[in-house]
Amino acid sequence: KQEVTQIPAALSVPEGENLVLNCSFTDSAIYNLQWFRQDPGKGLTSLLLIQSSQREQTSGRLNASLDKSSGRSTLYIAASQPGDSATYLCAVKGRANFGNEKLTFGTGTRLTIIP
Amino acid sequence: NAGVMQNPRHLVRRRGQEARLRCSPMKGHSHVYWYRQLPEEGLKFMVYLQKENIIDESGMPKERFSAEFPKEGPSILRIQQVVRGDSAAYFCASSPTQGLENTEAFFGQGTRLTVV
């Protein structure tokens, strides 16, 4: 059974700093990994999707890496801004679910950027 | 192209009532997934549907919960005889035909159910 863990559960950093969020998963047989952002009381916004054959994806100040063999992904946020404050979730789509694109989610990292 | 639409956004029900949650997938998407997010917990898969078919309901509680995705109209998640423990945010996601590696899941804004 796939399990996804995100550490730390909460993180506070001063504005302008670079930061890294971590995600680990127990079963390396995955199709892809997706990073989402969730604002309080809101839905999920997809940030980046990394296919299993890829090592990283970049979008603006965000860079996500994937090391499938070790079951790890990181989300790097450069030059953090107060607007980056949110909960960040990672989710994997496992190969065991062929034909079923359900995702297994981590419990998230609550990020606070201090102005 | 509107995103995944869920309604209502907030729903309050008394214990024992029925709750109906609706989800309209993105245009062109034929796969719908329901997830539940309990307070201070991550999202948990509930059910996967295609038009008129339940593909995987392994995450659905055995009693009181049902889901459908009719040929016409939105997908419905129905909770009968709600209890306080059903209070949660319910999210719907949709995706196009199976693309496996490069298929992105798009989520709605969620329905926040409160049972009083």
Side-chain angles (χ1 to χ4, degrees):
Chain A
K1 179 186 173 186
Q2 178 75 268
E3 293 184 3
V4 180
T5 304
Q6 291 186 248
I7 295 173
L11 180 66
S12 293
V13 299
E15 179 179 0
E17 284 198 2
N18 303 325
L19 60 100
V20 174
L21 307 180
N22 297 294
C23 173
S24 61
F25 46 95
T26 55
D27 186 348
S28 61
I30 65 170
Y31 280 117
N32 63 43
L33 182 145
Q34 223 171 323
W35 282 93
F36 294 88
R37 168 188 173 134
Q38 184 176 27
D39 292 282
K42 300 290 179 62
L44 278 69
T45 300
S46 179
L47 298 173
L48 290 165
L49 180 146
I50 311 177
Q51 299 176 32
S52 63
S53 56
Q54 298 175 327
R55 299 282 300 197
E56 65 177 337
Q57 282 288 326
T58 298
S59 176
R61 294 183 294 108
L62 305 180
N63 176 277
S65 68
L66 174 64
D67 184 342
K68 198 174 60 169
S69 60
S70 67
R72 295 178 188 275
S73 176
T74 61
L75 179 66
Y76 174 83
I77 302 177
S80 58
Q81 303 171 358
D84 295 331
S85 297
T87 296
Y88 290 80
L89 301 167
C90 74
V92 298
K93 181 164 72 175
R95 287 188 178 270
N97 301 323
F98 179 79
N100 179 347
E101 299 183 3
K102 70 181 181 185
L103 301 173
T104 302
F105 280 86
T107 51
T109 294
R110 186 162 47 229
L111 176 65
T112 302
I113 305 300
I114 305 165
Chain B
N1 185 8
V4 179
M5 304 300 291
Q6 289 189 249
N7 67 82
R9 293 288 306 277
H10 300 274
L11 182 62
V12 179
R13 284 287 178 267
R14 295 187 183 279
R15 280 180 295 171
Q17 291 184 320
E18 178 179 285
R20 281 189 166 214
L21 289 62
R22 296 175 183 76
C23 169
S24 296
M26 288 182 69
K27 187 177 181 180
H29 287 194
S30 57
H31 300 231
V32 166
Y33 299 79
W34 286 93
Y35 293 81
R36 177 166 66 174
Q37 186 176 36
L38 293 167
E40 304 303 319
E41 293 189 19
L43 277 79
K44 304 292 186 186
F45 167 79
M46 298 182 75
V47 62
Y48 162 45
L49 309 105
Q50 294 180 21
K51 284 285 187 181
E52 299 185 278
N53 284 303
I54 297 174
I55 307 302
D56 180 355
E57 55 182 347
S58 59
M60 288 276 271
K62 298 300 181 192
E63 298 177 349
R64 302 187 296 107
F65 285 72
S66 63
E68 63 177 5
F69 189 16
K71 186 176 180 181
E72 302 291 338
S75 175
I76 306 288
L77 179 67
R78 183 183 293 110
I79 311 172
Q80 296 177 303
Q81 299 176 314
V82 296
V83 300
R84 288 224 170 103
D86 297 333
S87 296
Y90 292 82
F91 290 96
C92 171
S94 73
S95 65
T97 52
Q98 297 164 15
L100 298 177
E101 280 203 345
N102 62 349
T103 304
E104 190 173 346
F106 295 88
F107 280 76
Q109 293 293 298
T111 293
R112 279 148 186 86
L113 172 66
T114 302
V115 179
V116 297

